Amino acid sequence: MYTRSLTAILLTTGTALAAPATVAARQAADITCPIVFDGRIPTGTELTYFDTYATNQIYNPDYVKGNDIKWSEILKFPTGEAARFDGTDHVPVEVTLSDKSIFQKQNGFRRAGLQFLKDAADGPGTTGVKTLHWSVKQDAARPLNLTHEYLNVWHEAADYSSNQIQFQAGQIIGKSAADKNNFKILDRSGKSLYSVAIDKTQWQNFAVKLDYPKNQVQIYYSVGQAALKSVAGPTSVNIAGGGQFQLGLLKKPTGSNDVVNSGYQSKNLNEGQIYGGVFLEDSADGCVSL
Ligand SMILES: *[C@@H]1O[C@H](CO)[C@@H](O)[C@H](O)[C@H]1NC(C)=O
């Protein structure tokens, strides 16, 4: 239904155009390019859907999360306005962190990251021209602690040596705290490609176009239900090295030179970030859904 405009639906059903404003606002924006990985959650999905391969056709049920916690305990379905590309057919999902968010033996991190089920280190997410879309919203009841460095969305190289592109929040370790309240999109060396203040109440919509043959990145952004606009690039960025996307929260510790394995994390963690409108589209021929 997301491919049909509200006007078209109203005309075919013969309904008067005096539809309530809320219906128009919740209608999903058109996705105009072929979807490569669809991370949107259909309305009516149960949380237990995410726990097993038998049910979960969207994300990898085994990675990347605490050893002793299930996705149905990590994820929540918040109420509130749908994200721009979700509309009425899809719902937002909140990724949360707790003291149980320790993956394997990575005692320094607290993490919960969603990986597209069909993504692979040498798969279609690593070739051609692809655009990753995501929307984020903050949960006032589970705020992030911006004294810490967070990785929120990234593409990790196949050899795990770096993240070609990283969407981050909080104080980046070793850098100035001046932009800790900003979302930052960085390249693998930590160079800033785009930065914008974290909005405490509204959806923030991002898209990153990855042109693998040209090694170029272009960034699109909007707030609320507004159409995306190009805000940075195309810029030369080394995005070679294959790998996979991940979306969620990876909270680094403070006071450590070995952030994977050690450092300070406060106890009784209860943090979360809401995601919506997650998908990867094929941007061959320059197509980007706005
Ligand atoms: C935020 O993190 C810092 C550093 O770990 C910690 O000292 C502080 O208590 C945390 N604040 C909250 C509200 O948890």
mmCIF file of all heavy atoms in Angstrom, residues 74-76 78 92-97 112 114 134-144 146 150-154 167-170 182-183 198-199 203-204 206 247-250 270-276:
data_model
loop_
_atom_site.group_PDB
_atom_site.id
_atom_site.type_symbol
_atom_site.label_atom_id
_atom_site.label_comp_id
_atom_site.label_asym_id
_atom_site.label_seq_id
_atom_site.Cartn_x
_atom_site.Cartn_y
_atom_site.Cartn_z
ATOM 1 N N ILE A 74 14.792 -7.559 24.636
ATOM 2 C CA ILE A 74 15.593 -6.379 24.267
ATOM 3 C C ILE A 74 14.734 -5.342 23.542
ATOM 4 O O ILE A 74 14.869 -4.141 23.765
ATOM 5 C CB ILE A 74 16.756 -6.803 23.333
ATOM 6 C CG1 ILE A 74 17.711 -7.733 24.071
ATOM 7 C CG2 ILE A 74 17.481 -5.594 22.764
ATOM 8 C CD1 ILE A 74 18.696 -8.449 23.153
ATOM 9 N N LEU A 75 13.873 -5.851 22.652
ATOM 10 C CA LEU A 75 13.097 -4.945 21.797
ATOM 11 C C LEU A 75 11.765 -4.589 22.441
ATOM 12 O O LEU A 75 11.199 -5.380 23.213
ATOM 13 C CB LEU A 75 12.845 -5.604 20.434
ATOM 14 C CG LEU A 75 14.098 -5.981 19.646
ATOM 15 C CD1 LEU A 75 13.715 -6.707 18.355
ATOM 16 C CD2 LEU A 75 14.948 -4.756 19.329
ATOM 17 N N LYS A 76 11.282 -3.402 22.119
ATOM 18 C CA LYS A 76 9.972 -2.959 22.607
ATOM 19 C C LYS A 76 9.250 -2.279 21.451
ATOM 20 O O LYS A 76 9.877 -1.777 20.530
ATOM 21 C CB LYS A 76 10.127 -1.961 23.753
ATOM 22 C CG LYS A 76 10.942 -2.542 24.892
ATOM 23 C CD LYS A 76 10.799 -1.777 26.176
ATOM 24 C CE LYS A 76 11.608 -2.420 27.286
ATOM 25 N NZ LYS A 76 11.247 -3.815 27.579
ATOM 26 N N PRO A 78 7.195 0.814 20.953
ATOM 27 C CA PRO A 78 6.706 2.052 21.561
ATOM 28 C C PRO A 78 5.440 2.545 20.854
ATOM 29 O O PRO A 78 5.226 2.229 19.679
ATOM 30 C CB PRO A 78 7.862 3.025 21.341
ATOM 31 C CG PRO A 78 8.548 2.520 20.124
ATOM 32 C CD PRO A 78 8.343 1.029 20.087
ATOM 33 N N PRO A 92 7.299 1.276 14.631
ATOM 34 C CA PRO A 92 8.637 1.519 15.166
ATOM 35 C C PRO A 92 9.031 0.434 16.160
ATOM 36 O O PRO A 92 8.160 -0.228 16.746
ATOM 37 C CB PRO A 92 8.525 2.864 15.873
ATOM 38 C CG PRO A 92 7.083 3.230 15.921
ATOM 39 C CD PRO A 92 6.308 2.241 15.119
ATOM 40 N N VAL A 93 10.327 0.259 16.341
ATOM 41 C CA VAL A 93 10.827 -0.717 17.319
ATOM 42 C C VAL A 93 11.937 -0.038 18.126
ATOM 43 O O VAL A 93 12.746 0.709 17.581
ATOM 44 C CB VAL A 93 11.325 -2.001 16.612
ATOM 45 C CG1 VAL A 93 12.558 -1.768 15.765
ATOM 46 C CG2 VAL A 93 11.568 -3.120 17.622
ATOM 47 N N GLU A 94 11.928 -0.273 19.448
ATOM 48 C CA GLU A 94 12.956 0.318 20.307
ATOM 49 C C GLU A 94 13.976 -0.750 20.676
ATOM 50 O O GLU A 94 13.617 -1.851 21.096
ATOM 51 C CB GLU A 94 12.312 0.888 21.577
ATOM 52 C CG GLU A 94 13.347 1.529 22.504
ATOM 53 C CD GLU A 94 12.716 2.382 23.604
ATOM 54 O OE1 GLU A 94 11.461 2.453 23.667
ATOM 55 O OE2 GLU A 94 13.484 2.952 24.395
ATOM 56 N N VAL A 95 15.253 -0.407 20.507
ATOM 57 C CA VAL A 95 16.353 -1.288 20.920
ATOM 58 C C VAL A 95 16.817 -0.795 22.286
ATOM 59 O O VAL A 95 17.105 0.397 22.450
ATOM 60 C CB VAL A 95 17.514 -1.215 19.907
ATOM 61 C CG1 VAL A 95 18.686 -2.069 20.371
ATOM 62 C CG2 VAL A 95 17.050 -1.646 18.525
ATOM 63 N N THR A 96 16.870 -1.683 23.282
ATOM 64 C CA THR A 96 17.246 -1.258 24.632
ATOM 65 C C THR A 96 18.547 -1.921 25.088
ATOM 66 O O THR A 96 18.945 -2.970 24.576
ATOM 67 C CB THR A 96 16.141 -1.594 25.665
ATOM 68 O OG1 THR A 96 16.051 -3.013 25.812
ATOM 69 C CG2 THR A 96 14.798 -1.018 25.265
ATOM 70 N N LEU A 97 19.189 -1.263 26.043
ATOM 71 C CA LEU A 97 20.384 -1.806 26.703
ATOM 72 C C LEU A 97 20.092 -2.010 28.176
ATOM 73 O O LEU A 97 19.415 -1.185 28.799
ATOM 74 C CB LEU A 97 21.557 -0.833 26.585
ATOM 75 C CG LEU A 97 22.171 -0.588 25.210
ATOM 76 C CD1 LEU A 97 23.345 0.373 25.342
ATOM 77 C CD2 LEU A 97 22.611 -1.892 24.556
ATOM 78 N N ALA A 112 23.377 -4.093 21.590
ATOM 79 C CA ALA A 112 22.278 -4.822 20.967
ATOM 80 C C ALA A 112 22.152 -4.255 19.569
ATOM 81 O O ALA A 112 21.813 -3.085 19.400
ATOM 82 C CB ALA A 112 20.986 -4.620 21.739
ATOM 83 N N LEU A 114 20.928 -4.921 15.433
ATOM 84 C CA LEU A 114 20.169 -5.703 14.460
ATOM 85 C C LEU A 114 20.947 -5.793 13.155
ATOM 86 O O LEU A 114 21.479 -4.790 12.671
ATOM 87 C CB LEU A 114 18.817 -5.029 14.194
ATOM 88 C CG LEU A 114 17.856 -4.972 15.389
ATOM 89 C CD1 LEU A 114 16.752 -3.955 15.137
ATOM 90 C CD2 LEU A 114 17.268 -6.361 15.661
ATOM 91 N N TRP A 134 17.248 5.003 7.640
ATOM 92 C CA TRP A 134 16.761 4.735 8.988
ATOM 93 C C TRP A 134 16.219 6.028 9.582
ATOM 94 O O TRP A 134 16.663 7.123 9.234
ATOM 95 C CB TRP A 134 17.867 4.151 9.886
ATOM 96 C CG TRP A 134 18.946 5.121 10.269
ATOM 97 C CD1 TRP A 134 19.005 5.886 11.402
ATOM 98 C CD2 TRP A 134 20.141 5.426 9.531
ATOM 99 N NE1 TRP A 134 20.156 6.646 11.409
ATOM 100 C CE2 TRP A 134 20.866 6.395 10.268
ATOM 101 C CE3 TRP A 134 20.673 4.998 8.318
ATOM 102 C CZ2 TRP A 134 22.088 6.924 9.834
ATOM 103 C CZ3 TRP A 134 21.882 5.531 7.878
ATOM 104 C CH2 TRP A 134 22.569 6.471 8.631
ATOM 105 N N SER A 135 15.238 5.871 10.481
ATOM 106 C CA SER A 135 14.734 6.993 11.266
ATOM 107 C C SER A 135 14.966 6.651 12.721
ATOM 108 O O SER A 135 14.877 5.473 13.107
ATOM 109 C CB SER A 135 13.238 7.199 11.013
ATOM 110 O OG SER A 135 13.007 7.518 9.649
ATOM 111 N N VAL A 136 15.273 7.665 13.527
ATOM 112 C CA VAL A 136 15.476 7.438 14.964
ATOM 113 C C VAL A 136 14.663 8.434 15.763
ATOM 114 O O VAL A 136 14.434 9.569 15.341
ATOM 115 C CB VAL A 136 16.952 7.576 15.400
ATOM 116 C CG1 VAL A 136 17.754 6.366 15.020
ATOM 117 C CG2 VAL A 136 17.585 8.830 14.877
ATOM 118 N N LYS A 137 14.257 7.978 16.952
ATOM 119 C CA LYS A 137 13.548 8.841 17.892
ATOM 120 C C LYS A 137 14.019 8.469 19.295
ATOM 121 O O LYS A 137 14.364 7.306 19.552
ATOM 122 C CB LYS A 137 12.040 8.629 17.755
ATOM 123 C CG LYS A 137 11.246 9.835 18.171
ATOM 124 C CD LYS A 137 9.803 9.762 17.679
ATOM 125 C CE LYS A 137 8.988 8.825 18.519
ATOM 126 N NZ LYS A 137 7.564 9.125 18.515
ATOM 127 N N GLN A 138 14.051 9.469 20.180
ATOM 128 C CA GLN A 138 14.539 9.225 21.539
ATOM 129 C C GLN A 138 13.373 8.900 22.472
ATOM 130 O O GLN A 138 12.269 9.405 22.308
ATOM 131 C CB GLN A 138 15.310 10.448 22.048
ATOM 132 C CG GLN A 138 16.412 10.899 21.105
ATOM 133 C CD GLN A 138 17.293 9.745 20.655
ATOM 134 O OE1 GLN A 138 17.800 8.978 21.479
ATOM 135 N NE2 GLN A 138 17.471 9.598 19.355
ATOM 136 N N ASP A 139 13.660 8.057 23.464
ATOM 137 C CA ASP A 139 12.673 7.662 24.473
ATOM 138 C C ASP A 139 13.033 8.393 25.770
ATOM 139 O O ASP A 139 14.057 8.083 26.391
ATOM 140 C CB ASP A 139 12.743 6.142 24.663
ATOM 141 C CG ASP A 139 11.774 5.652 25.729
ATOM 142 O OD1 ASP A 139 11.141 6.494 26.411
ATOM 143 O OD2 ASP A 139 11.662 4.417 25.889
ATOM 144 N N ALA A 140 12.191 9.342 26.174
ATOM 145 C CA ALA A 140 12.480 10.149 27.369
ATOM 146 C C ALA A 140 12.604 9.269 28.617
ATOM 147 O O ALA A 140 13.285 9.637 29.583
ATOM 148 C CB ALA A 140 11.379 11.192 27.567
ATOM 149 N N ALA A 141 11.973 8.096 28.605
ATOM 150 C CA ALA A 141 12.036 7.202 29.765
ATOM 151 C C ALA A 141 13.325 6.375 29.791
ATOM 152 O O ALA A 141 13.659 5.769 30.810
ATOM 153 C CB ALA A 141 10.830 6.260 29.760
ATOM 154 N N ARG A 142 14.027 6.318 28.665
ATOM 155 C CA ARG A 142 15.270 5.534 28.582
ATOM 156 C C ARG A 142 16.342 6.328 27.847
ATOM 157 O O ARG A 142 16.816 5.935 26.775
ATOM 158 C CB ARG A 142 15.029 4.212 27.839
ATOM 159 C CG ARG A 142 14.105 3.256 28.558
ATOM 160 C CD ARG A 142 14.044 1.898 27.860
ATOM 161 N NE ARG A 142 12.995 1.098 28.431
ATOM 162 C CZ ARG A 142 11.697 1.204 28.099
ATOM 163 N NH1 ARG A 142 11.314 2.063 27.177
ATOM 164 N NH2 ARG A 142 10.805 0.435 28.691
ATOM 165 N N PRO A 143 16.746 7.491 28.416
ATOM 166 C CA PRO A 143 17.696 8.346 27.693
ATOM 167 C C PRO A 143 19.086 7.739 27.585
ATOM 168 O O PRO A 143 19.519 6.990 28.470
ATOM 169 C CB PRO A 143 17.717 9.625 28.539
ATOM 170 C CG PRO A 143 17.331 9.182 29.914
ATOM 171 C CD PRO A 143 16.381 8.031 29.729
ATOM 172 N N LEU A 144 19.776 8.078 26.504
ATOM 173 C CA LEU A 144 21.182 7.696 26.367
ATOM 174 C C LEU A 144 21.996 8.596 27.295
ATOM 175 O O LEU A 144 21.593 9.711 27.601
ATOM 176 C CB LEU A 144 21.639 7.889 24.914
ATOM 177 C CG LEU A 144 20.820 7.172 23.841
ATOM 178 C CD1 LEU A 144 21.447 7.405 22.459
ATOM 179 C CD2 LEU A 144 20.720 5.677 24.131
ATOM 180 N N LEU A 146 25.045 10.673 27.256
ATOM 181 C CA LEU A 146 25.914 11.197 26.195
ATOM 182 C C LEU A 146 27.330 11.510 26.660
ATOM 183 O O LEU A 146 28.159 11.975 25.879
ATOM 184 C CB LEU A 146 25.243 12.398 25.524
ATOM 185 C CG LEU A 146 23.884 12.037 24.882
ATOM 186 C CD1 LEU A 146 23.165 13.284 24.380
ATOM 187 C CD2 LEU A 146 24.034 11.019 23.756
ATOM 188 N N TYR A 150 28.517 6.245 21.673
ATOM 189 C CA TYR A 150 27.617 5.217 21.135
ATOM 190 C C TYR A 150 27.818 5.053 19.641
ATOM 191 O O TYR A 150 27.975 6.041 18.923
ATOM 192 C CB TYR A 150 26.143 5.615 21.321
ATOM 193 C CG TYR A 150 25.672 5.652 22.737
ATOM 194 C CD1 TYR A 150 25.886 6.773 23.525
ATOM 195 C CD2 TYR A 150 24.990 4.573 23.302
ATOM 196 C CE1 TYR A 150 25.444 6.819 24.841
ATOM 197 C CE2 TYR A 150 24.547 4.616 24.609
ATOM 198 C CZ TYR A 150 24.774 5.738 25.378
ATOM 199 O OH TYR A 150 24.336 5.786 26.669
ATOM 200 N N LEU A 151 27.757 3.815 19.192
ATOM 201 C CA LEU A 151 27.596 3.509 17.776
ATOM 202 C C LEU A 151 26.134 3.124 17.623
ATOM 203 O O LEU A 151 25.633 2.268 18.358
ATOM 204 C CB LEU A 151 28.444 2.301 17.395
ATOM 205 C CG LEU A 151 29.865 2.540 16.909
ATOM 206 C CD1 LEU A 151 30.609 1.210 16.875
ATOM 207 C CD2 LEU A 151 29.844 3.153 15.514
ATOM 208 N N ASN A 152 25.444 3.764 16.675
ATOM 209 C CA ASN A 152 24.014 3.516 16.521
ATOM 210 C C ASN A 152 23.699 2.771 15.226
ATOM 211 O O ASN A 152 22.898 1.854 15.216
ATOM 212 C CB ASN A 152 23.254 4.840 16.575
ATOM 213 C CG ASN A 152 23.613 5.640 17.815
ATOM 214 O OD1 ASN A 152 24.775 6.017 17.999
ATOM 215 N ND2 ASN A 152 22.665 5.880 18.677
ATOM 216 N N VAL A 153 24.330 3.195 14.141
ATOM 217 C CA VAL A 153 24.146 2.526 12.846
ATOM 218 C C VAL A 153 25.518 2.516 12.173
ATOM 219 O O VAL A 153 26.205 3.534 12.183
ATOM 220 C CB VAL A 153 23.156 3.314 11.949
ATOM 221 C CG1 VAL A 153 23.018 2.651 10.588
ATOM 222 C CG2 VAL A 153 21.784 3.443 12.617
ATOM 223 N N TRP A 154 25.895 1.359 11.629
ATOM 224 C CA TRP A 154 27.207 1.341 10.972
ATOM 225 C C TRP A 154 27.314 0.211 9.965
ATOM 226 O O TRP A 154 26.462 -0.675 9.917
ATOM 227 C CB TRP A 154 28.336 1.264 11.997
ATOM 228 C CG TRP A 154 28.462 0.019 12.836
ATOM 229 C CD1 TRP A 154 29.341 -1.007 12.640
ATOM 230 C CD2 TRP A 154 27.730 -0.308 14.030
ATOM 231 N NE1 TRP A 154 29.192 -1.939 13.637
ATOM 232 C CE2 TRP A 154 28.215 -1.544 14.492
ATOM 233 C CE3 TRP A 154 26.706 0.318 14.739
ATOM 234 C CZ2 TRP A 154 27.716 -2.179 15.637
ATOM 235 C CZ3 TRP A 154 26.201 -0.304 15.879
ATOM 236 C CH2 TRP A 154 26.709 -1.541 16.316
ATOM 237 N N PHE A 167 27.354 5.978 12.274
ATOM 238 C CA PHE A 167 26.407 6.986 12.776
ATOM 239 C C PHE A 167 26.468 6.885 14.290
ATOM 240 O O PHE A 167 26.167 5.844 14.862
ATOM 241 C CB PHE A 167 25.018 6.632 12.244
ATOM 242 C CG PHE A 167 23.883 7.452 12.792
ATOM 243 C CD1 PHE A 167 23.742 8.793 12.458
ATOM 244 C CD2 PHE A 167 22.927 6.869 13.603
ATOM 245 C CE1 PHE A 167 22.664 9.532 12.937
ATOM 246 C CE2 PHE A 167 21.852 7.599 14.076
ATOM 247 C CZ PHE A 167 21.724 8.930 13.747
ATOM 248 N N GLN A 168 26.902 7.970 14.924
ATOM 249 C CA GLN A 168 27.233 7.893 16.339
ATOM 250 C C GLN A 168 26.565 8.984 17.159
ATOM 251 O O GLN A 168 26.150 10.017 16.634
ATOM 252 C CB GLN A 168 28.750 8.005 16.510
ATOM 253 C CG GLN A 168 29.486 6.877 15.816
ATOM 254 C CD GLN A 168 30.836 6.623 16.439
ATOM 255 O OE1 GLN A 168 31.843 6.761 15.780
ATOM 256 N NE2 GLN A 168 30.868 6.269 17.712
ATOM 257 N N ALA A 169 26.529 8.761 18.481
ATOM 258 C CA ALA A 169 26.000 9.748 19.424
ATOM 259 C C ALA A 169 26.946 9.820 20.612
ATOM 260 O O ALA A 169 27.779 8.935 20.823
ATOM 261 C CB ALA A 169 24.594 9.353 19.876
ATOM 262 N N GLY A 170 26.820 10.917 21.397
ATOM 263 C CA GLY A 170 27.593 11.045 22.619
ATOM 264 C C GLY A 170 28.999 11.549 22.385
ATOM 265 O O GLY A 170 29.351 12.007 21.302
ATOM 266 N N ASN A 182 25.191 15.797 19.616
ATOM 267 C CA ASN A 182 24.900 15.660 18.183
ATOM 268 C C ASN A 182 24.959 14.204 17.742
ATOM 269 O O ASN A 182 25.728 13.414 18.302
ATOM 270 C CB ASN A 182 25.947 16.414 17.348
ATOM 271 C CG ASN A 182 25.664 17.899 17.277
ATOM 272 O OD1 ASN A 182 24.892 18.434 18.077
ATOM 273 N ND2 ASN A 182 26.283 18.561 16.326
ATOM 274 N N PHE A 183 24.162 13.913 16.703
ATOM 275 C CA PHE A 183 24.433 12.717 15.917
ATOM 276 C C PHE A 183 25.539 13.086 14.949
ATOM 277 O O PHE A 183 25.558 14.194 14.405
ATOM 278 C CB PHE A 183 23.199 12.293 15.118
ATOM 279 C CG PHE A 183 22.186 11.531 15.914
ATOM 280 C CD1 PHE A 183 20.862 11.955 15.973
ATOM 281 C CD2 PHE A 183 22.538 10.371 16.590
ATOM 282 C CE1 PHE A 183 19.919 11.240 16.691
ATOM 283 C CE2 PHE A 183 21.599 9.644 17.313
ATOM 284 C CZ PHE A 183 20.282 10.085 17.353
ATOM 285 N N ILE A 198 20.865 16.087 18.299
ATOM 286 C CA ILE A 198 19.884 15.041 18.585
ATOM 287 C C ILE A 198 18.585 15.727 19.011
ATOM 288 O O ILE A 198 18.586 16.566 19.906
ATOM 289 C CB ILE A 198 20.379 14.109 19.718
ATOM 290 C CG1 ILE A 198 21.674 13.415 19.306
ATOM 291 C CG2 ILE A 198 19.294 13.096 20.092
ATOM 292 C CD1 ILE A 198 22.324 12.596 20.414
ATOM 293 N N ASP A 199 17.500 15.380 18.337
ATOM 294 C CA ASP A 199 16.190 15.944 18.658
ATOM 295 C C ASP A 199 15.555 15.054 19.726
ATOM 296 O O ASP A 199 15.479 13.839 19.552
ATOM 297 C CB ASP A 199 15.336 15.981 17.379
ATOM 298 C CG ASP A 199 14.102 16.848 17.536
ATOM 299 O OD1 ASP A 199 13.373 16.674 18.532
ATOM 300 O OD2 ASP A 199 13.863 17.699 16.666
ATOM 301 N N TRP A 203 10.983 12.513 15.192
ATOM 302 C CA TRP A 203 11.717 11.582 14.338
ATOM 303 C C TRP A 203 12.800 12.339 13.577
ATOM 304 O O TRP A 203 12.561 13.448 13.101
ATOM 305 C CB TRP A 203 10.790 10.934 13.302
ATOM 306 C CG TRP A 203 9.959 9.819 13.813
ATOM 307 C CD1 TRP A 203 8.610 9.853 14.052
ATOM 308 C CD2 TRP A 203 10.394 8.491 14.125
ATOM 309 N NE1 TRP A 203 8.187 8.614 14.494
ATOM 310 C CE2 TRP A 203 9.257 7.773 14.547
ATOM 311 C CE3 TRP A 203 11.631 7.839 14.084
ATOM 312 C CZ2 TRP A 203 9.322 6.426 14.930
ATOM 313 C CZ3 TRP A 203 11.693 6.507 14.476
ATOM 314 C CH2 TRP A 203 10.553 5.816 14.891
ATOM 315 N N GLN A 204 13.961 11.740 13.462
ATOM 316 C CA GLN A 204 15.022 12.254 12.587
ATOM 317 C C GLN A 204 15.298 11.171 11.551
ATOM 318 O O GLN A 204 15.543 10.010 11.916
ATOM 319 C CB GLN A 204 16.274 12.574 13.405
ATOM 320 C CG GLN A 204 16.054 13.750 14.355
ATOM 321 C CD GLN A 204 17.263 14.038 15.231
ATOM 322 O OE1 GLN A 204 17.480 13.358 16.219
ATOM 323 N NE2 GLN A 204 18.049 15.045 14.879
ATOM 324 N N PHE A 206 17.360 9.667 8.317
ATOM 325 C CA PHE A 206 18.664 9.709 7.661
ATOM 326 C C PHE A 206 18.694 8.718 6.502
ATOM 327 O O PHE A 206 18.031 7.669 6.544
ATOM 328 C CB PHE A 206 19.780 9.306 8.640
ATOM 329 C CG PHE A 206 19.955 10.266 9.786
ATOM 330 C CD1 PHE A 206 19.187 10.142 10.945
ATOM 331 C CD2 PHE A 206 20.885 11.296 9.718
ATOM 332 C CE1 PHE A 206 19.345 11.031 12.009
ATOM 333 C CE2 PHE A 206 21.051 12.177 10.774
ATOM 334 C CZ PHE A 206 20.273 12.044 11.923
ATOM 335 N N LEU A 247 22.336 -2.045 13.145
ATOM 336 C CA LEU A 247 21.555 -0.920 13.686
ATOM 337 C C LEU A 247 21.116 -1.245 15.095
ATOM 338 O O LEU A 247 20.600 -2.337 15.353
ATOM 339 C CB LEU A 247 20.288 -0.691 12.857
ATOM 340 C CG LEU A 247 20.453 -0.416 11.359
ATOM 341 C CD1 LEU A 247 20.085 -1.641 10.545
ATOM 342 C CD2 LEU A 247 19.574 0.761 10.955
ATOM 343 N N GLY A 248 21.324 -0.314 16.013
ATOM 344 C CA GLY A 248 20.895 -0.551 17.389
ATOM 345 C C GLY A 248 21.641 0.377 18.302
ATOM 346 O O GLY A 248 21.675 1.592 18.072
ATOM 347 N N LEU A 249 22.266 -0.200 19.333
ATOM 348 C CA LEU A 249 23.073 0.580 20.270
ATOM 349 C C LEU A 249 24.303 -0.227 20.641
ATOM 350 O O LEU A 249 24.193 -1.400 21.015
ATOM 351 C CB LEU A 249 22.283 0.871 21.560
ATOM 352 C CG LEU A 249 21.135 1.880 21.499
ATOM 353 C CD1 LEU A 249 20.355 1.866 22.809
ATOM 354 C CD2 LEU A 249 21.651 3.288 21.202
ATOM 355 N N LEU A 250 25.465 0.405 20.519
ATOM 356 C CA LEU A 250 26.689 -0.155 21.078
ATOM 357 C C LEU A 250 27.281 0.961 21.930
ATOM 358 O O LEU A 250 27.696 1.991 21.401
ATOM 359 C CB LEU A 250 27.661 -0.596 19.992
ATOM 360 C CG LEU A 250 28.952 -1.298 20.477
ATOM 361 C CD1 LEU A 250 29.572 -2.126 19.363
ATOM 362 C CD2 LEU A 250 29.990 -0.335 21.038
ATOM 363 N N ASN A 270 19.234 1.239 31.744
ATOM 364 C CA ASN A 270 17.917 1.142 31.119
ATOM 365 C C ASN A 270 17.857 2.247 30.066
ATOM 366 O O ASN A 270 17.364 3.335 30.311
ATOM 367 C CB ASN A 270 16.815 1.306 32.164
ATOM 368 C CG ASN A 270 15.432 1.130 31.558
ATOM 369 O OD1 ASN A 270 15.276 0.499 30.509
ATOM 370 N ND2 ASN A 270 14.425 1.701 32.201
ATOM 371 N N GLU A 271 18.444 1.955 28.911
ATOM 372 C CA GLU A 271 18.550 2.941 27.840
ATOM 373 C C GLU A 271 17.921 2.374 26.575
ATOM 374 O O GLU A 271 17.895 1.155 26.393
ATOM 375 C CB GLU A 271 20.026 3.265 27.568
ATOM 376 C CG GLU A 271 20.741 3.809 28.789
ATOM 377 C CD GLU A 271 22.173 4.236 28.493
ATOM 378 O OE1 GLU A 271 22.613 4.124 27.335
ATOM 379 O OE2 GLU A 271 22.832 4.690 29.436
ATOM 380 N N GLY A 272 17.473 3.270 25.727
ATOM 381 C CA GLY A 272 16.888 2.778 24.484
ATOM 382 C C GLY A 272 16.882 3.818 23.396
ATOM 383 O O GLY A 272 17.017 5.022 23.654
ATOM 384 N N GLN A 273 16.764 3.344 22.183
ATOM 385 C CA GLN A 273 16.578 4.242 21.044
ATOM 386 C C GLN A 273 15.582 3.596 20.098
ATOM 387 O O GLN A 273 15.619 2.387 19.875
ATOM 388 C CB GLN A 273 17.889 4.506 20.325
ATOM 389 C CG GLN A 273 17.694 5.534 19.225
ATOM 390 C CD GLN A 273 19.017 6.094 18.774
ATOM 391 O OE1 GLN A 273 19.343 7.238 19.039
ATOM 392 N NE2 GLN A 273 19.751 5.262 18.098
ATOM 393 N N ILE A 274 14.680 4.429 19.599
ATOM 394 C CA ILE A 274 13.598 3.954 18.739
ATOM 395 C C ILE A 274 14.026 4.071 17.280
ATOM 396 O O ILE A 274 14.568 5.101 16.869
ATOM 397 C CB ILE A 274 12.325 4.788 19.003
ATOM 398 C CG1 ILE A 274 11.930 4.682 20.489
ATOM 399 C CG2 ILE A 274 11.187 4.352 18.094
ATOM 400 C CD1 ILE A 274 10.927 5.726 20.942
ATOM 401 N N TYR A 275 13.782 2.990 16.530
ATOM 402 C CA TYR A 275 14.082 2.971 15.096
ATOM 403 C C TYR A 275 12.805 2.768 14.302
ATOM 404 O O TYR A 275 11.885 2.092 14.754
ATOM 405 C CB TYR A 275 15.037 1.819 14.754
ATOM 406 C CG TYR A 275 16.474 2.102 15.133
ATOM 407 C CD1 TYR A 275 16.969 1.742 16.377
ATOM 408 C CD2 TYR A 275 17.320 2.753 14.247
ATOM 409 C CE1 TYR A 275 18.279 2.015 16.740
ATOM 410 C CE2 TYR A 275 18.631 3.033 14.593
ATOM 411 C CZ TYR A 275 19.100 2.663 15.832
ATOM 412 O OH TYR A 275 20.401 2.962 16.170
ATOM 413 N N GLY A 276 12.773 3.331 13.114
ATOM 414 C CA GLY A 276 11.673 3.083 12.182
ATOM 415 C C GLY A 276 12.184 3.252 10.771
ATOM 416 O O GLY A 276 13.296 3.755 10.557
#
